[in-house]
Amino acid sequence: MLLEHLGNKLQALAAADQIRKLRVAATAAAPTQILRGPGGSALELLMFSSNDYLGLAAHPALAQALAEGARLYGAGSGSSHLISGHSLAHEQLEQALACWVQPNIPDAQALFFCTGYMANLAVLSALGDAGAVIFSEELNHASLIDGMKLAKAAVQRFAHRDMVQLEALLAASDAAIKLIVTDAVFSMDGDLAPLDQLLALAEAHDAWLVVDDAHGFGVIGPQGRGTLAHFGLCSQRLILVGTLGKAAGVAGAFVAAHPTIINYLIQAARPYIFTTAAPPASAHALLTSLELMASSEGEQRRARLRELQQQLRAGLTDLLNEYPQLGWTLPDSQTPIQPLIIGSNAAVMQLAARLEQAGLRVPGIRPPTVAPGTARLRITLSGSHESADIERLLAALRQAAYEATHEAAREAAESSA
Ligand SMILES: *Cc1c(COP(=O)(O)O)cnc(C)c1O
């Protein structure tokens, strides 16, 4: 019965072009990667799909720091943080992260988590008590949405970047505890939340602002200090979630906030308490990540990233002007996440397959990750891409646009004949 039930669901997904498949990568995360192709063959692909924005995931200094961490602390932590798994490396990393965010959140402490997904579950389930209200931006990441499902607080959604609606909801609420929750950089769109306006609203309405900076940490703001720094914010009403598996190149996440909030998470956050602490070696390696991110090398990688973004956007803009009939659009994004909206699931998957035949991997993103009718290529750039890589992507997209246009014209001619 179960297998039949699941089989039916899988068939429905297949009919809607929504089946997802795992790809096996045989080499480190880098612009050029070997993936296993059909029948187990090796495919060398130019990747525009990772969140390794600074190209640190395969950085030799980080691999070396990880090995050093393993020599110092072994392979695993052995237990949860509250039992005996909280190592010196975790402690040092939390202190370094606290220093990192204190210009934006005075007196902040930081708490390290195994993943960003768990950090978001922890913050929302622990702080979203019964009687509290969570005001949630509609494009929030799935991990925030799942955290809200675990919370006892009521949830009120506001439309993407709609400050007028949020203000009305806040003004109408008499909840004692109000939490505004938002991604800082929207993961499928690449645009920024208006954090300055959100914080002003939080202050005016005695609310707290929970910011998920998964895609801004290390990438945006002076020295890559993140989206809070980009906006120059400073407030104790901020609760920051940063992730350490994207620009920081390793794995894990942290929450930074007022010491009372951090202390409460240690007491009450089940995704913190009931899980084995991440390997201390990864925390040890992350100390090197933070140094690299803030160094002149980090600065160069961010500068390169901005140049590549401009090159890509200029090329795509020309392409869209040439092929307006395709209906593709390029939303405004000043981050390494550059979505090219295609529309239908079938069209985006066909385009992604074409690019792969040309040796390029750009993932097609479909509902339910994005709204129906807005399936897209999610192009992500890294500080280790070269200008020639962008040229290759643009040339392949141009070829695909040409073919798609001519196919559509041929189909129209055939159906009218
Ligand atoms: C990736 C991501 C997460 C989850 O972080 P992980 O460390 O990968 O679990 C949370 N929020 C946003 C916005 C993300 O993009």
Side-chain angles (χ1 to χ4, degrees):
M1 195 51 214
L2 174 67
L3 296 184
E4 201 181 311
H5 173 67
L6 299 182
N8 290 339
K9 288 189 142 187
L10 286 168
Q11 262 177 11
L13 287 172
D17 286 304
Q18 280 184 337
I19 287 286
R20 301 158 186 240
K21 292 211 179 89
L22 286 169
R23 302 299 305 264
V24 178
T27 54
T32 303
Q33 234 179 338
I34 311 272
L35 297 198
R36 215 184 279 161
S41 60
L43 271 181
E44 187 180 286
L45 293 174
L46 179 57
M47 311 289 285
F48 292 94
S49 53
S50 92
N51 301 317
D52 176 28
Y53 301 121
L54 297 183
L56 296 186
H59 196 292
L62 279 192
Q64 204 184 335
L66 193 62
E68 185 183 75
R71 272 198 304 279
L72 286 168
Y73 303 103
S77 69
S79 79
S80 64
H81 283 277
L82 283 170
I83 302 300
S84 54
H86 188 66
S87 81
L88 180 61
H90 294 125
E91 188 71 13
Q92 286 169 339
L93 177 63
E94 287 174 348
Q95 276 163 13
L97 288 165
C99 290
W100 182 282
V101 302
Q102 276 168 0
N104 306 111
I105 313 178
D107 303 323
Q109 282 179 7
L111 192 64
F112 177 69
F113 283 81
C114 295
T115 70
Y117 186 84
M118 294 168 82
N120 280 337
L121 294 189
V123 167
L124 294 172
S125 63
L127 304 185
D129 264 338
V133 175
I134 295 173
F135 300 87
S136 175
E137 147 80 55
E138 92 182 301
L139 294 191
N140 274 340
H141 188 259
S143 56
L144 291 168
I145 292 166
D146 290 359
M148 291 174 217
K149 289 186 187 158
L150 288 177
K152 299 201 172 63
V155 176
Q156 301 196 346
R157 237 165 52 136
F158 61 96
H160 186 47
R161 297 171 49 94
D162 189 340
M163 296 300 102
V164 174
Q165 187 189 11
L166 174 60
E167 172 148 45
L169 291 173
L170 286 164
S173 169
D174 55 7
I177 297 172
K178 301 181 187 118
L179 300 168
I180 304 170
V181 178
T182 188
D183 281 18
V185 177
F186 292 92
S187 49
M188 297 301 139
D189 295 74
D191 57 337
L192 302 187
L195 291 184
D196 48 350
Q197 298 174 49
L198 285 161
L199 181 60
L201 285 178
E203 276 165 354
H205 294 273
D206 192 19
W208 293 75
L209 179 58
V210 179
V211 176
D212 175 349
D213 203 16
H215 300 280
F217 181 73
V219 178
I220 291 189
Q223 292 178 302
R225 287 184 169 271
T227 315
L228 300 183
H230 169 82
F231 281 99
L233 304 184
C234 180
S235 168
Q236 286 196 322
R237 287 185 178 275
L238 290 162
I239 299 167
L240 175 69
V241 179
T243 67
L244 302 167
K246 291 174 178 160
V250 187
F254 66 95
V255 178
H258 188 281
T260 302
I261 293 177
I262 297 300
N263 189 13
Y264 185 71
L265 291 178
I266 294 170
Q267 314 311 315
R270 296 165 68 89
Y272 183 76
I273 299 169
F274 296 106
T275 195
T276 300
S282 61
H284 185 76
L286 281 161
L287 289 166
T288 301
S289 292
L290 294 185
E291 278 168 24
L292 276 171
M293 277 166 30
S295 70
S296 57
E297 181 180 345
E299 210 50 60
Q300 280 163 17
R301 285 171 184 256
R302 279 184 293 276
R304 154 72 67 84
L305 203 47
R306 284 191 294 271
E307 283 166 23
L308 296 171
Q309 269 160 229
Q310 278 162 14
Q311 184 190 351
L312 177 68
R313 287 192 69 84
L316 286 177
T317 305
D318 287 348
L319 181 62
L320 299 189
N321 286 339
E322 236 172 282
Y323 292 96
Q325 65 276 33
L326 287 174
W328 298 355
T329 56
L330 178 68
D332 193 23
S333 160
Q334 288 151 37
T335 67
I337 302 170
Q338 294 290 333
L340 183 62
I341 316 272
I342 306 300
S344 81
N345 295 351
V348 82
M349 295 324 281
Q350 197 182 23
L351 181 55
R354 258 193 193 141
L355 292 175
E356 183 156 327
Q357 279 159 14
L360 300 140
R361 166 119 175 101
V362 189
I365 307 285
R366 292 161 286 174
T369 308
V370 295
T374 71
R376 64 198 64 187
L377 289 180
R378 179 176 182 267
I379 304 168
T380 52
L381 302 177
S382 133
S384 29
H385 277 121
E386 306 279 341
S387 171
D389 297 336
I390 308 294
E391 285 308 320
R392 235 185 103 189
L393 173 59
L394 288 168
L397 280 168
R398 180 169 296 275
Q399 179 66 26
Y402 174 84
E403 285 167 16
T405 310
H406 285 254
E407 266 157 34
R410 197 168 53 236
E411 275 162 25
E414 273 165 19
S415 66
S416 65

